[in-house]
Amino acid sequence: MTTLGEELAGATAALAEVGCESPRLDAELLLAHVLSTDRAQLVLRGGEEASGELRTRYLALLTRRVKREPVAYILGRRAFRQLTLAVDPRALIPRPETELLVEVGLELPHGTRVADIGTGCGAVALALVQERPDLELIGADISDGALSLARMNAQRLGLTVKWVRSDLLSEVSAPVLLANLPYVADGEPLPPDVALYEPHRALFGGPDGLDLIRRLIAQAGERQEVELIALEIGHTQADAVSALLAQAGFRSSERRRDLAGIERVVVGRR
Ligand SMILES: C[S@@+](CC[C@H](N)C(=O)[O-])C[C@H]1O[C@@H](n2cnc3c(N)ncnc32)[C@H](O)[C@@H]1O
């Protein structure tokens, strides 16, 4: 007989062997999914026998993870602030540091119209409208696939966002812009989980990673209605983005750091 604890130990070793960064956590999340339980319960159930059927189903998920498919795509969901969002390869998996953009939105005056540019699965727009239902949210993306996923998330969560297919600001007008656009420099090496599975259109932003951010800031500068723009950036890009904001007529008023102390969001105000 094999116990759940032994299954978990074997799976952890297999994931560590192929270089997964958090093998134990991944193995636990996948086993909890197969058992329709949560991770805390696994500790209590470690001595339980693993049935043949359970082992087959667990192995199927582990095989995907061994090939480095992200756990969020395997489970089909990801937590973001207070929401559980459906995720799949149509859009980037939302990252914890992107919650900083939501925090900028939480400070806005009552009733402000806000556009989430490059909304992906809708994470920023949906989290913000859930926490501040008085705000008017627009979620814009150039990808039809991402927008269909965002719409599905909104419907499932019962949240109202206006979804727009738009190349940056081509179809969008709002006084506040929040944007997590692609900012990885072309050719920059990425972990296999990201490079092999997440949409490249959501990741890469030209030779220095700033092609889309540069275009968005220039467009925002020409739109007198834009009062505030907050941009998520890569860890080396804060100075360059502050300079772009200044050129476009925005005061680069602040930078916000993630939990690792890295400058992740630059805020520009007219
Ligand atoms: C880094 S992902 C961010 C997704 C989401 N905001 C998040 O944080 O999880 C960037 C998104 O920008 C979108 N995008 C790329 N080029 C764009 C453009 N020219 N106009 C609008 N959206 C664009 C991509 O389709 C992708 O969904």
Side-chain angles (χ1 to χ4, degrees):
M1 136 176 160
T2 316
T3 64
L4 293 178
E6 286 162 350
E7 283 292 316
L8 203 48
T12 304
L15 296 181
E17 176 78 24
V18 296
C20 290
E21 265 180 30
S22 49
R24 176 77 188 188
L25 174 64
D26 296 359
E28 286 181 3
L29 287 168
L30 296 176
L31 184 58
H33 183 72
V34 171
L35 289 165
S36 302
T37 186
D38 54 45
R39 282 173 57 221
Q41 289 296 316
L42 296 180
V43 181
L44 305 174
R45 296 178 60 178
E48 222 174 85
E49 181 173 357
S51 70
E53 192 233 329
L54 176 132
R55 290 168 66 194
T56 306
R57 286 172 51 219
Y58 191 34
L59 183 62
L61 300 190
L62 283 171
T63 304
R64 290 169 67 182
R65 185 64 189 128
V66 161
K67 293 182 189 155
R68 304 303 296 270
E69 184 172 346
V71 172
Y73 284 160
I74 299 174
L75 301 183
R77 61 172 190 268
R78 174 67 162 230
F80 186 77
R81 291 190 70 86
Q82 295 168 31
L83 303 178
T84 299
L85 296 164
V87 291
D88 66 32
R90 287 176 287 180
L92 193 92
I93 299 163
R95 308 296 204 266
E97 55 269 24
T98 303
E99 297 193 6
L100 291 171
L101 281 180
V102 179
E103 288 171 15
V104 174
L106 292 177
E107 296 160 10
L108 294 169
H110 187 90
T112 306
R113 192 164 73 253
V114 184
D116 170 18
I117 308 296
T119 193
C121 73
V124 172
L126 290 167
L128 191 50
V129 82
Q130 192 248 338
E131 292 177 51
R132 283 285 308 274
D134 61 291
L135 299 176
E136 188 188 331
L137 261 299
I138 300 166
D141 206 288
I142 202 164
S143 155
D144 288 320
L147 284 171
S148 59
L149 181 60
R151 275 196 192 93
M152 191 181 93
N153 272 316
Q155 203 168 21
R156 203 176 44 83
L157 295 164
L159 295 168
T160 303
V161 171
K162 183 180 175 202
W163 304 108
V164 185
R165 185 177 187 282
S166 182
D167 179 4
L168 301 178
L169 298 186
S170 66
E171 311 299 323
V172 174
S173 166
V176 173
L177 308 176
L178 306 178
N180 176 20
L181 286 165
Y183 56 70
V184 179
D186 292 350
E188 191 175 313
L190 293 171
D193 317 41
V194 181
L196 295 175
Y197 290 93
E198 296 198 77
H200 285 197
R201 190 181 219 176
L203 292 166
F204 294 106
D208 63 356
L210 291 173
D211 280 6
L212 286 143
I213 288 177
R214 200 177 279 115
R215 268 179 62 211
L216 178 66
I217 292 175
Q219 288 180 3
E222 286 164 10
R223 300 276 191 93
Q224 282 314 308
E225 78 267 15
V226 179
E227 294 160 15
L228 183 150
I229 175 169
L231 299 137
E232 183 172 326
I233 51 159
H235 67 286
T236 59
Q237 295 171 336
D239 288 342
V241 170
S242 294
L244 290 168
L245 285 168
Q247 269 170 34
F250 293 95
R251 265 182 308 121
S252 173
S253 57
E254 63 190 282
R255 296 176 182 187
R256 300 198 180 192
R257 293 175 188 269
D258 65 16
L259 292 174
I262 298 168
E263 289 175 332
R264 280 294 182 182
V265 166
V266 177
V267 184
R269 289 172 208 269
R270 184 76 70 179

